[in-house]
Amino acid sequence: MAFIVFEGLDGSGKTSLIQKLKDYVTHLGIVCTVTREPGGTSLGDEIRKILLRTNAEVPVPECEILLYEAIRAQHVATVLKPALKKQSWVLCDRFTGSTIAFQAAGRSLSLTEAVWLNEFATRGLKPDLNILLDLSPELSLGRQKIRIQTTGLAADRFELEKQEFHEKVRQGYLHQASLDPKNWFVLDASKSLEELFTLVLQELKNRKWLN
Ligand code: TMP
């Protein structure tokens, strides 16, 4: 059983890496749950829409963080804890580290309050490992533009933030990782998916979670 969270700026390649790892471990016969925040439950998916929409009242940072934590509380209690109890591996796209990076570092909310709110929503559940796909804001914004052009999907409220915001978020991630290197594995997300996957597998083998 392992609870692994993938973190990073938008466009860092979390989704493809999670899918590849899921396919790999499932082939080994390991039960694996893939989930994400904001979202992961039907209630969470509804709040996600409110958080990402661009055509309505903008939540103040205090409201924004509480909405993320509301999603998280429901997700932890109804999806994550039950899956872990059943000994499933859990691969989660974003979790508490996103709140520290986006709301504390990015929106300049108090770090102490963000840590407390994370503790409250998770009731102490912590990832066994955070994998940070570190990417420069320039590359992140460039990849987002390509995605918007190729899919036709509009940018969400966070994707429309200035480069300066994304730089603060990136630093918020790197700072967390530097304070807790045992629980954070930092990868250079400008590498190819194949290279990133090889590095992740090696890390999981080093931790004896895979043979
Ligand atoms: P996604 O596009 O990776 O699904 O996430 C939507 C946005 O939500 C993304 O720009 C990061 C942001 N976010 C926060 O600001 N705080 C959080 O706690 C989480 C989980 C996500």
Side-chain angles (χ1 to χ4, degrees):
M1 180 186 80
F3 175 24
I4 306 173
V5 173
F6 293 76
E7 294 281 4
L9 293 184
D10 292 308
S12 55
K14 293 177 279 97
T15 315
S16 315
L17 195 55
I18 289 172
Q19 194 52 52
K20 215 165 157 52
L21 184 58
K22 188 207 163 145
D23 291 346
Y24 184 89
V25 297
T26 306
H27 259 90
L28 296 176
I30 297 169
V31 178
C32 182
T33 303
V34 170
T35 184
R36 71 166 179 181
E37 287 191 7
T41 65
S42 56
L43 180 61
D45 282 335
E46 288 191 52
I47 304 175
R48 176 188 170 93
K49 286 185 207 142
I50 294 172
L51 279 162
L52 301 185
R53 67 191 177 186
T54 55
N55 57 352
E57 183 178 351
V58 175
V60 297
E62 288 79 0
C63 175
E64 184 179 276
I65 194 170
L66 289 172
L67 291 174
Y68 279 109
E69 299 297 359
I71 291 172
R72 184 159 300 135
Q74 187 75 9
H75 189 214
V76 166
T78 67
V79 176
L80 298 177
K81 283 193 175 170
L84 292 166
K85 208 170 163 191
K86 283 189 204 147
Q87 308 296 312
S88 169
W89 275 41
V90 174
L91 308 181
C92 188
D93 192 335
R94 301 192 181 284
F95 193 56
T96 45
S98 281
T99 305
I100 302 301
F102 283 80
Q103 278 66 50
R107 301 275 191 235
S108 307
L109 285 176
S110 148
L111 177 61
T112 313
E113 287 170 353
V115 169
W116 188 87
L117 287 169
N118 274 343
E119 282 286 327
F120 178 75
T122 59
R123 295 291 186 203
L125 177 68
K126 294 202 168 38
D128 296 311
L129 178 65
N130 290 282
I131 297 180
L132 172 58
L133 294 167
D134 178 49
L135 194 65
S136 70
E138 292 81 4
L139 267 182
S140 163
L141 292 168
R143 288 184 183 182
Q144 282 169 44
K145 268 194 197 137
I146 295 171
R147 185 185 58 82
I148 288 162
Q149 281 162 5
T150 51
T151 63
L153 291 171
D156 68 33
R157 199 165 57 82
F158 285 86
E159 290 167 344
L160 290 174
E161 287 287 347
K162 293 199 193 92
Q163 187 159 327
E164 191 192 329
F165 174 81
H166 296 288
E167 188 52 56
K168 285 202 263 179
V169 172
R170 182 191 194 188
Q171 293 311 323
Y173 271 130
L174 290 171
H175 186 60
Q176 288 180 77
S178 71
L179 292 179
D180 190 11
K182 262 198 197 153
N183 289 310
W184 284 80
F185 180 50
V186 183
L187 290 169
D188 171 359
S190 67
K191 291 193 160 113
S192 72
L193 177 60
E194 280 308 323
E195 285 175 292
L196 293 170
F197 184 60
T198 305
L199 291 165
V200 167
L201 280 191
Q202 195 50 56
E203 178 65 18
L204 301 185
K205 286 176 185 173
N206 291 346
R207 287 174 182 258
K208 311 268 184 264
W209 295 347
L210 290 176
N211 295 318

